[in-house]
Amino acid sequence: MKLCLILLLAAIVLVTAGKKKSESRAALGYKECPEHKENYKNVAKKNKKMKWMKPKALSDICPGEHGCPAHEVLPSTGCGFGVREIGAGNWISTLVLDSEGDSKYEEAYKRLVFYLTGGNEDGTDMGLTVPLIVQTGLDDNFEPVGSSMALYLPAEYQKTHPAPTGEDVEIEEWDDIVVYYRAFGYSKGKEVPEEIWDREFINLGESLTDSGLEYYWWKVITGSYSHQSEAEQRHEVMYIARRHDYYDYNGDDFSLAEAQGYEECEGFPETAKPKATEGICGSDAECPDVEEVENENCGFGVRNIKAGNWVSTEMVEEDGEQKWVNAFIRLFAYIYGENDEEAEIPMTIPVLTKTYMNRDFENTYSSMHFYLPSEYQDNPPTPTNELVEIEEWIDTKTYYRAIGDYGADADVMAIWKKEFKDLGKALSDAGESFYPYMAVTATFTRPGFGDQRHEAIFVSQDADEESE
């Protein structure tokens, strides 16, 4: 009897714990990361004000007495964040004015409420909606450079809405947008401390980075679905997704040869299967126009890279170990607007690096390159950084070996050296002619995270190509 009671109690504890875990995930809208949970516990012991509280579930808010914008929950492949597409619609918006001092957010909110409750040309009381959105721009030093506040127009006023009577508010038409978010609750009657907003933005950024996702870090967004007078509250921090094309990639759908793009040689040790290019190009981002060449040899693939324009930068040796990062940042800045048109250009893949060597195979210099998307091939914007330039490449025949998963802490240089050595041996055994003094790497996916593909590449030295 005693044993039965003990087992029954244990079962009750397990069911209760499982129920709480399920309820917490449902309220959040995503799976929480273990490291965040542990950090919350440690912080709460030192400062009760920073205690994390479960948010009110969005399903208990939208739809409800307050209207919400149309949204669709998208699948999330990581932990610590949710993904949501917010439908296009009209919002009433106002700037948060620094001239209004400590009450600037309160005054901005009053202007929006005034419009929705009758301060419009028709004198119509439209009612309030949620969430209250605040968007803040950041400069390169992560300092705020201006904020705006907005409320969604109720559904019945989306197509036809009265004009504002105040000069400080305006109707804005927003496009469909995908956001990454984290949610939390807070105590009734208390304002959410700035430290909690900051903490949640940091946690969101770390979770997105760990998942290999890109987002607009220079625009931080808060969304409040509840007033501080409510017992159950929901607040969110958000980043706009730079690119979120969700699709299912299943590596089991591809054999090793299909994923690599060639048959492996028996003499080479078994390697981790790379992500197939079919699951990357056109799904993850745009890739250069290429032609896969039929190849009966083992250990390498053959590919013609078609002529096109690339944005390029030479690595600065004085930057030391940071030269790779700094080169990437220069190219990244170019596509993010550091060009004569201030155009934001979609990022392509792969990221290419070229390393040139002397006859003793000692590195002489290196460069990094992004392919320009098709809409910018004919007239690429001119870089404003003198270290960045546009290069026009001719059709080029290449040989490659594909690398799959390797950890974020792996000895990357050792991995590349091995792959180039194996590629050179395979090409020599097959009687192929190539340039051994220029080593090219292609990174198709974020190193250390998820399904990966990286390639070691040598350029063909065929006599007919040299004459072109």
Side-chain angles (χ1 to χ4, degrees):
M1 177 64 75
K2 187 176 181 180
L3 178 59
C4 290
L5 286 173
I6 292 173
L7 292 174
L8 178 60
L9 287 171
I12 292 173
V13 169
L14 288 173
V15 170
T16 302
K19 184 179 180 182
K20 288 182 178 180
K21 184 176 181 180
S22 177
E23 289 177 348
S24 179
R25 181 166 182 173
L28 289 171
Y30 53 87
K31 178 183 177 182
E32 183 59 291
C33 298
E35 57 267 30
H36 296 327
K37 293 180 181 179
E38 187 63 29
N39 185 53
Y40 285 144
K41 292 179 182 179
N42 295 333
V43 170
K45 292 177 182 178
K46 301 176 182 178
N47 186 350
K48 291 184 178 180
K49 186 177 72 171
M50 298 293 288
K51 180 182 178 181
W52 183 87
M53 298 184 67
K54 185 175 74 174
K56 188 174 184 178
L58 188 59
S59 58
D60 293 335
I61 302 174
C62 303
E65 59 176 304
H66 301 296
C68 298
H71 70 272
E72 178 185 357
V73 176
L74 302 179
S76 171
T77 56
C79 68
F81 65 94
V83 189
R84 180 188 302 136
E85 181 174 6
I86 302 174
N90 289 298
W91 296 66
I92 181 69
S93 177
T94 186
L95 294 177
V96 177
L97 304 175
D98 289 334
S99 59
E100 294 176 334
D102 293 340
S103 62
K104 60 184 179 181
Y105 291 102
E106 182 181 353
E107 294 301 318
Y109 182 65
K110 286 180 180 178
R111 290 193 289 274
L112 299 182
V113 171
F114 177 72
Y115 167 80
L116 289 170
T117 57
N120 51 71
E121 65 177 5
D122 295 343
T124 303
D125 186 347
M126 292 177 271
L128 299 180
T129 60
V130 291
L132 175 66
I133 295 291
V134 176
Q135 302 185 68
T136 302
L138 303 178
D139 63 18
D140 292 341
N141 296 315
F142 296 94
E143 294 295 328
V145 291
S147 300
S148 63
M149 185 180 290
L151 282 169
Y152 183 71
L153 292 184
E156 58 266 38
Y157 297 99
Q158 277 293 310
K159 291 185 178 179
T160 303
H161 37 265
T165 55
E167 296 180 355
D168 294 331
V169 296
E170 62 178 335
I171 305 296
E172 294 182 345
E173 185 177 355
W174 294 6
D175 295 328
D176 292 337
I177 194 170
V178 175
V179 297
Y180 303 122
Y181 71 91
R182 280 183 63 82
F184 61 94
Y186 203 62
S187 303
K188 179 180 179 180
K190 297 182 179 180
E191 185 176 347
V192 179
E194 186 175 341
E195 295 88 344
I196 286 186
W197 290 113
D198 292 342
R199 177 186 71 185
E200 294 305 317
F201 275 115
I202 291 171
N203 289 345
L204 177 57
E206 289 178 349
S207 296
L208 295 175
T209 300
D210 289 346
S211 297
L213 295 173
E214 299 175 16
Y215 58 95
Y216 291 97
W217 57 265
W218 58 85
K219 180 179 286 187
V220 295
I221 304 172
T222 64
S224 291
Y225 289 82
S226 316
H227 192 269
Q228 65 186 49
S229 62
E230 298 178 41
E232 281 190 285
Q233 300 178 29
R234 183 182 187 88
H235 309 283
E236 293 182 355
V237 294
M238 308 177 212
Y239 282 123
I240 298 174
R242 176 158 173 80
R243 174 180 44 80
H244 187 87
D245 298 320
Y246 181 81
Y247 65 98
D248 291 321
Y249 177 80
N250 186 353
D252 294 336
D253 293 340
F254 301 90
S255 68
L256 177 61
E258 290 172 335
Q260 288 180 316
Y262 53 86
E263 293 287 345
E264 188 60 284
C265 298
E266 293 183 2
F268 291 155
E270 186 174 336
T271 58
K273 184 165 64 176
K275 189 173 185 179
T277 54
E278 290 88 341
I280 301 174
C281 297
S283 297
D284 285 0
E286 183 178 350
C287 295
D289 186 16
V290 300
E291 176 190 4
E292 297 292 338
V293 179
E294 187 175 347
N295 170 38
E296 297 181 354
N297 297 295
C298 68
F300 62 91
V302 186
R303 181 186 296 137
N304 283 332
I305 301 176
K306 300 296 185 179
N309 285 306
W310 296 67
V311 60
S312 308
T313 186
E314 187 173 332
M315 295 184 196
V316 180
E317 292 302 320
E318 288 78 5
D319 289 344
E321 294 182 356
Q322 284 292 111
K323 65 181 181 180
W324 309 92
V325 174
N326 292 346
F328 182 86
I329 290 175
R330 286 195 294 275
L331 297 182
F332 206 62
Y334 168 80
I335 66 172
Y336 267 64
E338 284 194 11
N339 53 71
D340 64 347
E341 298 178 15
E342 297 184 351
E344 289 192 11
I345 303 170
M347 186 170 180
T348 61
I349 44 182
V351 176
L352 282 189
T353 66
K354 296 180 180 179
T355 299
Y356 297 85
M357 295 164 283
N358 59 26
R359 296 291 176 177
D360 296 321
F361 291 98
E362 297 171 334
N363 294 354
T364 56
Y365 72 94
S366 301
S367 57
M368 185 176 290
H369 316 265
F370 290 178
Y371 179 72
L372 289 175
S374 53
E375 62 265 37
Y376 292 96
Q377 276 294 311
D378 291 337
N379 294 294
T382 301
T384 54
N385 187 331
E386 62 181 10
L387 296 178
V388 179
E389 62 180 338
I390 304 298
E391 295 181 346
E392 185 176 355
W393 294 5
I394 62 173
D395 289 351
T396 306
K397 181 180 177 181
T398 62
Y399 305 110
Y400 67 90
R401 275 187 61 81
I403 308 169
D405 175 43
Y406 61 77
D409 298 327
D411 186 344
V412 179
M413 294 306 297
I415 292 173
W416 284 119
K417 286 180 180 179
K418 176 185 178 303
E419 292 304 321
F420 277 112
K421 181 179 179 181
D422 289 346
L423 176 58
K425 182 179 186 308
L427 292 173
S428 296
D429 290 347
E432 299 286 352
S433 179
F434 62 97
Y435 291 100
Y437 302 110
M438 183 176 71
V440 182
T441 68
T443 298
F444 288 81
T445 55
R446 185 164 182 254
F449 298 91
D451 296 297
Q452 298 176 44
R453 184 182 188 90
H454 316 283
E455 292 182 357
I457 299 172
F458 280 132
V459 175
S460 170
Q461 199 178 11
D462 287 348
D464 58 341
E465 291 182 350
E466 291 183 306
S467 62
E468 291 182 356

